Amino acid sequence: MRIEVLSIFLMFQVVVSLKHNDLIIAVGDTLELLSDGKTFQTLTLDSYNASKLSALAYDPVAKKLFFSDTRHRHGHIFSVDLNDEFYHPVVDIAEKKDNETVGSLTYDPVDKTLLWMDGFNRSIRRVKIEHETFHAEEKGDVEILHSFDDAKKPSGLICDPCTRMLYWTNVHESHPTIERSFINGSHPKVIIANDMFRPMTLDLDVPEQKLYWAQSLRNGSFNIERSFVNGTGREEIYRDVGQIIISLAVGGDYVYWGDYTQKKLWSLRKDGSSSSPLTLGTFRNPPTSIVLRHQPLDCSLLEQSQTGKLIAHQSATITIACLTITSLLIIGVVAIFMLRIWTFRSGRKLLVSDKDEDTFPFQDFDNGRDSYSRKMTQ
Ligand SMILES: *[C@@H]1O[C@H](CO)[C@@H](O)[C@H](O)[C@H]1NC(C)=O
Ligand SMILES: *[C@@H]1O[C@H](CO)[C@@H](O)[C@H](O)[C@H]1NC(C)=O
Ligand SMILES: *[C@@H]1O[C@H](CO)[C@@H](O)[C@H](O)[C@H]1NC(C)=O
Ligand SMILES: *[C@@H]1O[C@H](CO)[C@@H](O)[C@H](O)[C@H]1NC(C)=O
Ligand SMILES: *[C@@H]1O[C@H](CO)[C@@H](O)[C@H](O)[C@H]1NC(C)=O
Ligand SMILES: *[C@@H]1O[C@H](CO)[C@@H](O)[C@H](O)[C@H]1NC(C)=O
């Protein structure tokens, strides 16, 4: 019994410590804030009429959201200050030139640089946000970091402020890939080229140094995969049919994605330990982009966690060993106890059975576990 109580307690702890990240989601012409995986709140933009919001990026230091509006006539990247709960002034950061489109956005708080994927000219561009109300002029401010030829069709983009790397997906029909370079553009490299179909969106788990991406497979199914940042250690964490995933974000405990077909926002435990995702919201338009509204990253913790993982692993092993020894001891004590009762009973030739009493607590435990697992699948 004591072991069972202990294991319930441990399971309970695991469930309690799972937490949803606060998210910002672009849906049609609105920006939705989601707290605790439950409460939606629409962000009101002051003196700005949104048309079709797409890519998002978040600056955790200045608490500023960057977004692109694909149908806006003149501008194409804007920022909105989220410091105040009610007043959200919008700043026009970059003008639209020709038919430029912003496929995805990412922000580097170290260099105060905004980077984006331009789908029209197949390039990765960047602009340094010099000050609060910065507006990029026609020439000079915007630099081209990478430009791609017709053999590439770049889509998702994400930077790592800690390791100074930049990752992107290429959804070219015949040679789709996942690639990376330093954030300054040097050393571009293809890191994944096998079994790729249409990896439209990717995100990076900075603390755990893992890439997550989603793609539609050729036969109508889709999957979500992850790998180390060098492209090795690839594993599938979810596969199903009936969705086209167009946005994805990975948090502390969950991976979140937006699906074009059902216009839903989904979440799934990122360690792959649950088999079915939960719907967090259903919208009138597909969720085109998702970002975490997170605290600034502490890059020094990242180095510690990479070495810390080993220590955590060792201490987990020690804990398991201790638990096993304790369990064996308890089983031993119980066995001796039962043996004593048995010898005592057979000695006195007791014939009355107390079986009901014996099984009752176990039935109770099973019921408890049933309602527990029901809660998990809800
Ligand atoms: C936004 O749209 C409304 C109604 O279409 C219009 O009255 C208002 O002037 C517009 N505001 C801006 C800033 O364009
Ligand atoms: C931009 O798109 C419009 C409509 O699709 C097209 O007529 C125009 O030629 C395009 N401009 C450039 C520079 O490609
Ligand atoms: C797009 O690329 C072409 C050729 O590389 C270049 O001439 C043109 O100026 C670019 N357009 C923009 C808006 O940068
Ligand atoms: C780009 O960044 C990498 C790593 O931070 C550095 O080693 C390299 O010298 C940089 N290259 C240029 C051209 O600045
Ligand atoms: C789709 O193809 C994958 C391999 O690419 C396979 O594992 C999966 O079972 C297929 N699904 C269906 C529904 O045929
Ligand atoms: C890729 O990264 C993993 C995890 O950091 C590491 O174990 C592995 O050796 C790396 N592989 C290569 C080829 O660098």
Side-chain angles (χ1 to χ4, degrees):
M1 264 319 262
R2 236 194 282 171
I3 308 167
E4 276 142 10
V5 169
L6 189 69
S7 61
I8 292 174
F9 177 73
L10 285 177
M11 278 197 276
F12 187 69
Q13 284 247 308
V14 168
V15 171
V16 164
S17 64
L18 285 183
K19 216 170 148 280
H20 277 292
N21 289 81
D22 289 345
L23 305 176
I24 308 172
I25 308 134
V27 186
D29 62 358
T30 61
L31 292 166
E32 300 288 340
L33 307 177
L34 176 61
S35 330
D36 285 339
K38 288 196 288 276
T39 322
F40 282 98
Q41 188 199 341
T42 302
L43 186 76
T44 50
L45 299 173
D46 289 296
S47 57
Y48 182 83
N49 281 345
S51 57
K52 192 165 182 277
L53 301 174
S54 57
L56 302 179
Y58 185 62
D59 173 3
V61 179
K63 293 198 171 55
K64 207 192 267 183
L65 178 72
F66 297 97
F67 63 90
S68 92
D69 192 343
T70 50
R71 294 225 187 100
H72 196 280
R73 242 188 261 169
H74 311 292
H76 82 153
I77 301 172
F78 303 85
S79 76
V80 54
D81 189 326
L82 301 183
N83 277 295
D84 190 283
E85 198 182 336
F86 302 107
Y87 177 58
H88 301 130
V90 173
V91 174
D92 183 350
I93 289 184
E95 301 281 317
K96 193 173 192 138
K97 268 178 73 194
D98 301 332
N99 290 349
E100 280 181 319
T101 59
V102 178
S104 42
L105 275 173
T106 183
Y107 183 72
D108 172 22
V110 177
D111 281 346
K112 294 196 170 65
T113 298
L114 188 65
L115 300 108
W116 70 93
M117 193 65 92
D118 175 25
F120 176 64
N121 246 12
R122 300 181 190 231
S123 57
I124 295 174
R125 293 166 184 239
R126 70 171 175 204
V127 65
K128 198 167 160 68
I129 310 292
E130 308 275 3
H131 52 83
E132 279 293 291
T133 54
F134 176 79
H135 177 82
E137 297 299 329
E138 285 283 305
K139 284 262 179 247
D141 290 334
V142 178
E143 291 172 88
I144 295 183
L145 194 65
H146 290 295
S147 65
F148 305 99
D149 58 16
D150 289 350
K152 296 270 167 83
K153 200 167 165 190
S155 175
L157 178 72
I158 191 77
C159 74
D160 186 340
C162 293
T163 62
R164 314 305 297 149
M165 298 298 289
L166 187 66
Y167 303 87
W168 64 92
T169 67
N170 152 36
V171 295
H172 191 269
E173 289 73 13
S174 46
H175 302 291
T177 51
I178 293 181
E179 313 189 357
R180 74 173 182 188
S181 75
F182 283 118
I183 214 165
N184 60 17
S186 69
H187 294 86
K189 192 179 173 202
V190 173
I191 54 170
I192 300 180
N194 296 329
D195 296 320
M196 295 306 274
F197 299 96
R198 235 181 115 67
M200 297 233 295
T201 174
L202 93 166
D203 198 13
L204 175 70
D205 185 340
V206 176
E208 296 194 358
Q209 286 294 296
K210 286 205 168 168
L211 284 171
Y212 285 70
W213 68 93
Q215 59 178 344
S216 297
L217 307 174
R218 288 215 176 90
N219 55 11
S221 47
F222 68 93
N223 73 0
I224 297 173
E225 288 179 78
R226 66 174 174 190
S227 75
F228 293 127
V229 288
N230 59 15
T232 68
R234 190 171 163 183
E235 52 184 334
E236 181 177 81
I237 61 168
Y238 188 63
R239 178 193 289 252
D240 204 350
V241 291
Q243 292 185 28
I244 298 170
I245 298 181
I246 53 171
S247 50
L248 179 139
V250 53
D253 293 317
Y254 293 91
V255 52
Y256 303 93
W257 70 88
D259 140 44
Y260 183 83
T261 329
Q262 301 175 41
K263 304 185 178 70
K264 282 182 177 170
L265 174 71
W266 299 88
S267 72
L268 182 75
R269 282 157 77 161
K270 72 176 182 186
D271 59 7
S273 66
S274 67
S275 53
S276 50
L278 297 183
T279 306
L280 297 182
T282 308
F283 308 98
R284 279 196 299 152
N285 292 291
T288 44
S289 186
I290 307 166
V291 283
L292 305 183
R293 197 177 175 184
H294 62 88
Q295 296 300 317
L297 294 162
D298 184 349
C299 293
S300 65
L301 284 178
L302 175 64
E303 281 154 30
Q304 281 168 23
S305 87
Q306 290 308 97
T307 46
K309 243 180 219 163
L310 207 78
I311 297 163
H313 180 73
Q314 280 166 355
S315 71
T317 316
I318 292 167
T319 312
I320 289 169
C322 287
L323 277 177
T324 313
I325 291 167
T326 317
S327 315
L328 285 175
L329 277 175
I330 292 171
I331 290 170
V333 168
V334 168
I336 291 168
F337 186 65
M338 296 290 265
L339 199 72
R340 286 244 176 116
I341 289 184
W342 183 72
T343 40
F344 176 75
R345 272 184 197 170
S346 46
R348 291 184 51 178
K349 296 204 164 37
L350 256 187
L351 290 172
V352 184
S353 161
D354 55 358
K355 196 167 176 245
D356 282 353
E357 252 177 63
D358 251 337
T359 50
F360 181 71
F362 287 95
Q363 278 171 351
D364 200 36
F365 168 67
D366 281 345
N367 286 344
R369 192 162 51 185
D370 267 6
S371 64
Y372 170 81
S373 52
R374 233 178 288 130
K375 246 182 230 158
M376 288 298 299
T377 49
Q378 255 166 26

